[in-house]
Every structure is written in structure tokens, then in C-alpha cells.
Amino acid sequence: MAKLNINFRKYHRALLSEVLPFELPIIFNNDGFFLLHEHQDKKSLIHDLYKKIFCDHHVISQSIPYSYTVYKTENSVRHISIPHPRIQIQACQFLEKYDSLLIKLLTKGQETSLRYPHKISSTVYENNRLEKKYKFKSGQIIENNDDKTTQYYVSYFSYNYSRIYQYYNSNEFLEFEKKFKHLWITDIANCFDSIYTHSISWSITKNRAYAKKHTSNASIFNEFDKLMQRSNYNETNGIIIGWEISRIFSEVILQEIDRKVISLLEEKNLSFGNDSIFKRYVDDYFIYGNDVYKLEVIHSVLSSILHDFKLNLNENKFTKLTRPFVTPQSIAVENLFSILDNFKKEIYEERKFFNSNLKMKALIRNIKIIAQSQEANYSNIINLAVNKICNDSLQALLSKKNQFKDRNNLLNSILLYMKVAAYLISIAPHVRACNKFLLLCQQSLEFSSEEDFDRVDDFKNEIFLLLKELSKSNKNNNKNYLNNLNFLVGLTILQDDYKLSGNDIKNIFSNEGFASLNYLEIISIIFYIKNDSEYLEIHRAVQKNIQSKLEKITKESLLENTHDILLVLDCLSCPYLDIALRKEIATKLNVFFKFTLKNIQNMSESDFAIFNHNWFVNWDDFSFLRTLVKQQLYSKNKMVYTFSAE
């Protein structure tokens, strides 16, 4: 393990790690936005535009986040939000002012909390086989002005347990199992949607009446409250889901709830830590004890205090365990990993797969049986299966390839795994699993192009068909919305050899066609079709859609509406849109923000290149490998909204 020092004064690095959700289109990031902030002292038109839109002293009273859905379970979706870039910068400024105080305050909650920021993270990277082969270093930060400095800022803070599976595998969990006979597991129902932002002031004063009389106090908590409100249309009920800032905000409130619970338990002569104890991972509670009655008291007190904060325990998610503390989920995971390990041993022998179809069907059947058994979470088991299948295949590419005398057998093995993974994704399309599948596709194509395979064209065609099918799966179901877009973009790794038809692209989207496209759909389509003449009709339809949206955009909407500002800036920089449309956007921005540029309409295309800076989409220098590896690193350091084990 190697370490590099970072500049702790570079607070805006949080733009790369804390202010965006993990569940994003693979072509979307804050790299370009970060670099503008990094070099904002440079005098140029694009920096002038950046400062006028995002860095003036005008404090917006509210903003509208850009929200979309991702798959949660087979019966539900999760609403994820991107906060307005102005709000993102304000969040960085908040951290600059209060990060040390936050750490000081939140480390006091370690008695109960399993996930809290305990220090500002240092730069840590480790070499694994994948990264070593392709010369990628996890977490490396190079302190210079090169845009590669943006690649591996994975977390602003360090956490004791960044992922919940780490707790299940910890010595701490084992020690509690030795000490206590019973474990009850529950969580808060719709926690982030239910949080009342003003309740954070109750956390600092510890007295609601006092807080209501002193709401004007310019404290960290008042500022935090205002930041969260501004990020969500000035709503006080509910905070947006996705960015790390919401988790920190909720942690402040939930730690105060924990303290109130402990205090009330002591009044009831229940000794916390001896008779019983509870731990909390974000909004998940683990209640330990030897006396069922005392567990019931803790559960009752916890429910009562939560209600005071307008929160409620989830009645539909309540597990009671007696030693040994093994959940149905844990049993299912062990069984799943056992059959996948056995399958891996069998499949990666030197042999021809005349019965590969039967093997695939048998493996899928066994996975589904495990996922349906023992009251396990079906969708999470499927998610774990996809991740392990992809990890095993990536490992085979890097470490087992030389064991195959007939190298085509390796490709056959990888393809078999891919078909299994693709089928499972069509059932439970978790974002993390889908991204891991795209990484496997990219690495497999890279590998096949370097080696002398007889069936490389057939192999590429199989991957094309898999991605094509996944890109249009459940197109009218919001559950798979984001993944459809990512699989569409993922098809570009095949370059020009394999293309979707115009009708194929139309079939990915709703029956309404291209008339009602939103920002994420627009950037994904344009990224795929670029300015290819084969898609001229689609290109015109998308530009017509952009044009209609542009007519409705005002200065106020750009300052408040996340969708509008993302759309305008990424269309402005997009080299695949007609120059006339981009000039119209630049002209409108000049009217709104007066960045002292005249005669935009008369500028030559080469002169107009000053607007080619990438904001949130890297149009002309996108690396699938770099992006997908970074996502894997990020998911290991952040809470992702799926159960995970590796």
C-alpha cells in the first residue's frame, strides 16, 4: 500500500467525491467543473462565464435538483437527485468552513454510530491486478494542473465502516455475538424523505423550545439547514437522496436521537452497554441484548424518540435473531458463493463447451433457487451474483488466460458468464452490477483484440447483441431507466464495427419518441450517434427538442433549475451539435450573464472553439476503462444503495 499527500486546503475536491450520487450516467462527472474551479484565476472567456454563473455573490434562495429513478427492488425504485452546481459549490464552501468541527462533533457519536466521518481522508491507493496491468492506480492524486488530478478523489472523509458488509465481517460484530444472545435488526422508514431539516437545530441546542426561539443563530447547524433547504426547492420536509452531504446531515440528527435514547434508557435503569446495546449504520439499527424484555424497552424508546423527530421505524423490516447471528440473507450469500466458486472451478478447465447452453441454464436455475429461498432479498442476491460473476471473469482474463492451450476456450468461458450476467441483470438491474458488467465487456474486447483468436468477430457480435438487448430492456419501466442509457453509451466500446439502427435507438426510449427527451436522454443519444450521417433524422429530432427547451429557458431557470443549467452548458460544449444551435446558446448566455463577447453569430467555427470546454460530459476524450475503474473504486469507499459483499 502506497500513500501520497494531498493538499487539504483544496476543499473543492469535494466536487469530485461528495456532491454527486454514485448512480450516474457513465459519461457524466464533475471533472470539467472541478478544473474550472481549480483554475478560476485564469483570465479567459470560459472562466468568466463560469464565475458569473456559479461564483458571484448572488445567493439563490432555492434550487431544483435534477431527479431520476434507479432500480431498488423488483417492486420499487429509488429517486436519486443531482443538486444544482451552485449548491455543490456552496457545499464545498460549507465543508471548508466546518469540516473540522463536523468531525469533532460526529466522532462523539461513536458509541452508537457505525458510519460517521472521523477524519479528512488522505490519499491512499493500492495496486490490484486489473489496475497494474492497465497502469491504473486506485486513489492516486497527482498535485498538478493536469486533468488527471481529477481521476481518483474517491472520498473527502474517512469512515470506520464505509460499507455495511464490513460491519458484518468485523471483530466488533463477533464480540457482540459472544456477549449477547439476541439481535434485533430494523431501520427507519423512508429516512431521507422524512427528515425535517429544522430538526438539526434541535441537535445543537438539545432543546426544541430553545431552538424555536433562537432560529437566527448563525451556527453550523443553521447554515447546514439552509444549505439542505436550498438544495431541494426550499423544502423543509425531506432531503435529497444521492450525495454524501445528505448522509452527513442525517448523521447529525440521528446521533442526537441516539443520545436521547440512551439518556431515557438510563432513566429507566437500563444500563447501556452492559444489559444491552444498539448500533446504527446510517438508518439501520442493530439492537443487542440478553433479555427480550429489555430489547422491547429499547425498541419502544427508540420508536418514541424517532417519532418526536417526525421519523418512524419500518414495521415491514424487522428481523429477530438468536445466536448464532446468521440472517437468511447471509445463508443465501454463502450458498450463492459456494455454487459460483464450484462453477468457476469447473468452467475454467481446458475443455470444449459443447453443452454450454445447458450449463448456463443450470447455473441460472440454481441462482434463482437460492435467491427465492430462506426469505432472502431476491434482488440483492441477484446483484451479488452478477458482481461475483463479473469479478471471476475479470480475474480469469488477467490471471488464468495462460492456462488455456486453446485460447478460444477462454473466450467461450467468458461469453458463457456474460450471458448469465446479462440474464440476471434483466431481472434485477442494480446500477453497480450493470457498471461492473460494462467493465467486463470493455476488458474482454480489449483482451480479444490483443490476442490471436479465431472467433474474435463472433465474440464481438455476441457482446453487441447482449448490450443491444439490455439497452432496450424494460424501456417503459422507470426501474431500468438509467441502465438503459448506460448500455446505449456502452455500445460505443465496439466502435464503428457494430451499430444500432435508427429504429433500434428509437426502441430504447418511450413510445413518445424524441419529442419529450430530458437532459440525461439527450446527452446519451448525442454521445452515441455523434454526427454520424446514418442517424441524421435522429440528430435533427434531438436538436429540435433542445431548441424547444432553449426557448423556455431564462436566467432565473439557469440559476435555479439543475436540469436547465446542465443541458445548456453540455450542449454549448458539444462538438456534435450544429454550430448554429451552439451559437444560439452562447448568445443567450451572453445576454443573461454579459461575459463581454460580441458578434457571437459571426464567429468562425475555429474561433467558437473557445466554448469547447467540457463541463459535465467529456465529449471528445472519454475513457471507458478510466471511468469504470474509478466507479469501482468509488463504490468501495461510499455507501451505495444496495447490499454488497465482495
Side-chain angles (χ1 to χ4, degrees):
M1 177 114 18
K3 296 183 179 181
L4 295 175
N5 294 324
I6 66 172
N7 181 0
F8 287 102
R9 292 175 296 177
K10 192 177 288 187
Y11 297 98
H12 60 279
R13 69 187 185 275
L15 289 174
L16 299 171
S17 60
E18 311 302 297
V19 300
L20 293 179
F22 169 80
E23 300 85 353
L24 284 168
I26 57 177
I27 59 172
F28 183 100
N29 57 60
N30 264 358
D31 288 4
F33 190 48
F34 169 84
L35 290 171
L36 279 172
H37 195 101
E38 175 87 338
H39 310 311
Q40 61 179 296
D41 58 325
K42 293 185 177 181
K43 296 181 180 180
S44 70
L45 182 143
I46 205 69
H47 285 89
D48 188 32
L49 178 60
Y50 165 82
K51 291 177 195 178
K52 289 186 180 291
I53 298 177
F54 299 114
C55 300
D56 63 24
H57 297 293
H58 173 67
V59 179
I60 58 174
S61 59
Q62 63 185 21
S63 67
I64 307 171
Y66 181 49
S67 299
Y68 51 93
T69 59
V70 298
Y71 177 88
K72 181 180 179 182
T73 70
E74 54 265 36
N75 299 314
S76 62
V77 297
R78 191 180 301 278
H79 296 273
I80 300 293
S81 297
I82 300 174
H84 195 285
R86 288 177 65 90
I87 295 296
Q88 296 176 30
I89 291 176
Q90 290 177 30
C92 294
Q93 294 168 342
F94 177 82
L95 291 177
E96 178 179 5
K97 189 175 181 180
Y98 292 119
D99 58 358
S100 297
L101 181 56
L102 279 171
I103 291 171
K104 181 179 179 180
L105 291 170
L106 292 176
T107 50
K108 295 179 180 179
Q110 59 187 301
E111 187 176 23
T112 57
S113 180
L114 296 170
R115 189 184 189 276
Y116 58 90
H118 63 86
K119 67 176 182 179
I120 299 173
S121 66
S122 59
T123 305
V124 179
Y125 72 88
E126 58 184 0
N127 292 322
N128 61 42
R129 274 177 267 191
L130 176 66
E131 294 158 6
K132 185 176 181 180
K133 176 177 175 65
Y134 293 98
K135 297 181 174 55
F136 282 88
K137 296 179 179 176
S138 310
Q140 182 174 356
I141 303 174
I142 306 169
E143 289 299 324
N144 57 40
N145 292 332
D146 191 289
D147 63 358
K148 291 182 179 179
T149 63
T150 67
Q151 296 311 316
Y152 298 112
Y153 282 99
V154 294
S155 184
Y156 188 91
F157 294 108
S158 292
Y159 298 87
N160 188 23
Y161 298 106
S162 55
R163 303 286 294 277
I164 195 169
Y165 78 87
Q166 295 170 337
Y167 176 63
Y168 282 110
N169 295 330
S170 69
N171 290 331
E172 184 177 12
F173 184 83
L174 294 177
E175 287 299 317
F176 286 145
E177 188 174 33
K178 287 194 299 183
K179 185 175 181 179
F180 299 108
K181 296 179 181 179
H182 304 283
L183 168 61
W184 290 4
I185 304 173
T186 187
D187 72 351
I188 300 172
N190 302 314
C191 180
F192 284 14
D193 289 331
S194 304
I195 283 179
Y196 180 54
T197 68
H198 288 335
S199 62
I200 196 166
S201 63
W202 309 343
S203 302
I204 184 79
T205 64
K206 300 181 174 63
N207 184 297
R208 188 188 303 188
Y210 178 90
K212 287 185 175 182
K213 292 180 180 179
H214 298 82
T215 55
S216 62
N217 286 354
S219 67
I220 172 178
F221 296 97
N222 286 325
E223 289 192 38
F224 213 167
D225 183 2
K226 292 175 183 176
L227 175 66
M228 300 307 290
Q229 290 180 55
R230 288 197 297 270
S231 71
N232 192 28
Y233 218 170
N234 265 356
E235 288 287 340
T236 58
N237 291 314
I239 57 178
I240 62 176
I241 298 174
W243 65 338
E244 189 66 25
I245 304 299
S246 282
R247 300 186 189 105
I248 297 173
F249 184 86
S250 66
E251 183 65 21
V252 175
I253 296 169
L254 294 176
Q255 283 197 14
E256 176 58 21
I257 291 173
D258 293 348
R259 284 187 284 268
K260 288 181 177 294
V261 171
I262 293 174
S263 177
L264 189 54
L265 290 175
E266 291 175 349
E267 292 178 11
K268 295 178 178 293
N269 296 319
L270 199 156
S271 179
F272 184 84
N274 295 318
D275 300 328
S276 53
I277 196 170
F278 69 88
K279 292 288 182 176
R280 176 181 50 78
Y281 180 88
V282 190
D283 61 343
D284 289 309
Y285 285 92
F286 301 84
I287 308 173
Y288 299 89
N290 292 312
D291 188 323
V292 172
Y293 170 76
K294 292 178 180 179
L295 288 171
E296 291 174 344
V297 172
I298 294 176
H299 184 270
S300 176
V301 170
L302 175 60
S303 179
S304 177
I305 300 297
L306 284 170
H307 188 266
D308 289 343
F309 282 76
K310 303 182 183 295
L311 300 170
N312 296 286
L313 289 175
N314 189 350
E315 298 296 333
N316 297 320
K317 186 179 176 181
F318 192 7
T319 302
K320 296 182 179 181
L321 301 175
T322 303
R323 277 189 314 213
F325 299 154
V326 180
T327 66
Q329 182 83 359
S330 300
I331 297 171
V333 170
E334 289 297 322
N335 291 336
L336 173 71
F337 281 19
S338 177
I339 68 162
L340 288 176
D341 284 338
N342 290 334
F343 188 83
K344 180 175 65 173
K345 291 177 183 178
E346 180 182 0
I347 213 69
Y348 287 123
E349 295 176 356
E350 187 179 345
R351 58 191 301 175
K352 295 182 180 180
F353 297 100
F354 296 110
N355 59 344
S356 61
N357 192 48
L358 291 176
K359 288 182 177 294
M360 180 180 70
K361 290 181 178 179
L363 179 60
I364 290 173
R365 182 176 62 254
N366 288 334
I367 292 173
K368 290 194 296 186
I369 290 172
I370 291 172
Q372 280 285 43
S373 65
Q374 301 168 335
E375 299 180 356
N377 187 310
Y378 182 85
S379 65
N380 283 340
I381 293 297
I382 297 297
N383 175 52
L384 288 174
V386 174
N387 274 284
K388 181 165 173 56
I389 286 170
C390 292
N391 284 333
D392 288 346
S393 300
L394 286 166
Q395 184 183 21
L397 285 175
L398 300 181
S399 64
K400 291 183 176 289
K401 63 181 183 180
N402 294 323
Q403 298 181 18
F404 286 77
K405 294 179 181 180
D406 183 352
R407 311 294 284 280
N408 287 298
N409 279 349
L410 176 58
L411 278 190
N412 290 338
S413 303
I414 297 297
L415 185 58
L416 175 62
Y417 266 123
M418 281 183 169
K419 289 180 177 179
V420 174
Y423 174 81
L424 296 175
I425 286 171
S426 68
I427 297 174
H430 288 283
V431 172
R432 184 169 177 264
C434 293
N435 290 348
K436 183 62 73 68
F437 180 78
L438 283 171
L439 178 60
L440 175 59
C441 290
Q442 190 278 335
Q443 294 291 274
S444 300
L445 290 168
E446 181 103 4
F447 176 73
S448 66
S449 66
E450 294 177 354
E451 306 291 334
D452 185 21
F453 293 111
D454 297 333
R455 297 181 56 248
V456 64
D457 290 338
D458 291 338
F459 183 67
K460 290 181 178 179
N461 189 60
E462 292 281 3
I463 292 179
F464 170 73
L465 293 174
L466 288 175
L467 290 175
K468 175 183 175 182
E469 187 63 28
L470 287 171
S471 68
K472 63 180 182 180
S473 61
N474 302 312
K475 68 171 184 176
N476 294 318
N477 189 335
N478 286 336
K479 294 180 189 178
N480 206 24
Y481 169 75
L482 181 63
N483 294 316
N484 288 352
L485 300 181
N486 281 343
F487 287 129
L488 171 64
V489 171
L491 281 161
T492 61
I493 62 179
L494 291 153
Q495 300 177 341
D496 294 332
D497 298 330
Y498 301 88
K499 292 183 181 179
L500 296 176
S501 69
N503 285 330
D504 287 333
I505 296 174
K506 291 178 181 178
N507 288 333
I508 293 174
F509 300 93
S510 67
N511 296 327
E512 298 179 18
F514 302 113
S516 59
L517 296 176
N518 58 44
Y519 163 75
L520 292 186
E521 294 167 332
I522 288 171
I523 63 171
S524 300
I525 292 176
I526 292 296
F527 190 90
Y528 182 81
I529 68 174
K530 296 180 171 54
N531 47 18
D532 193 324
S533 58
E534 292 185 26
Y535 304 117
L536 185 58
E537 181 185 348
I538 296 175
H539 195 276
R540 289 172 176 169
V542 173
Q543 290 208 147
K544 184 178 180 181
N545 178 289
I546 297 170
Q547 182 71 50
S548 65
K549 286 180 169 57
L550 187 62
E551 293 172 356
K552 302 174 184 178
I553 286 175
T554 64
K555 179 179 180 179
E556 289 69 28
S557 72
L558 292 177
L559 292 175
E560 295 184 359
N561 193 308
T562 306
H563 177 280
D564 289 355
I565 191 64
L566 298 181
L567 177 69
V568 164
L569 292 178
D570 279 334
C571 287
L572 174 67
S573 64
C574 180
Y576 309 121
L577 295 177
D578 291 349
I579 189 69
L581 176 59
R582 296 175 64 199
K583 285 182 177 180
E584 184 177 346
I585 294 173
T587 300
K588 197 157 193 171
L589 289 173
N590 194 26
V591 171
F592 292 159
F593 301 104
K594 299 180 173 40
F595 47 85
T596 66
L597 186 64
K598 299 179 181 179
N599 300 318
I600 292 176
Q601 294 297 331
N602 296 327
M603 293 176 69
S604 66
E605 193 162 346
S606 60
D607 290 338
F608 195 79
I610 60 176
F611 290 103
N612 285 353
H613 176 85
N614 292 317
W615 291 85
F616 307 101
V617 177
N618 190 337
W619 293 109
D620 50 11
D621 188 30
F622 179 78
S623 169
F624 268 96
L625 180 60
R626 185 193 310 141
T627 300
L628 293 169
V629 169
K630 183 179 179 180
Q631 285 188 336
Q632 301 309 310
L633 294 170
Y634 189 88
S635 71
K636 290 180 180 181
N637 287 275
K638 291 297 175 95
M639 193 185 98
V640 182
Y641 289 107
T642 57
F643 175 87
S644 180
E646 300 187 15

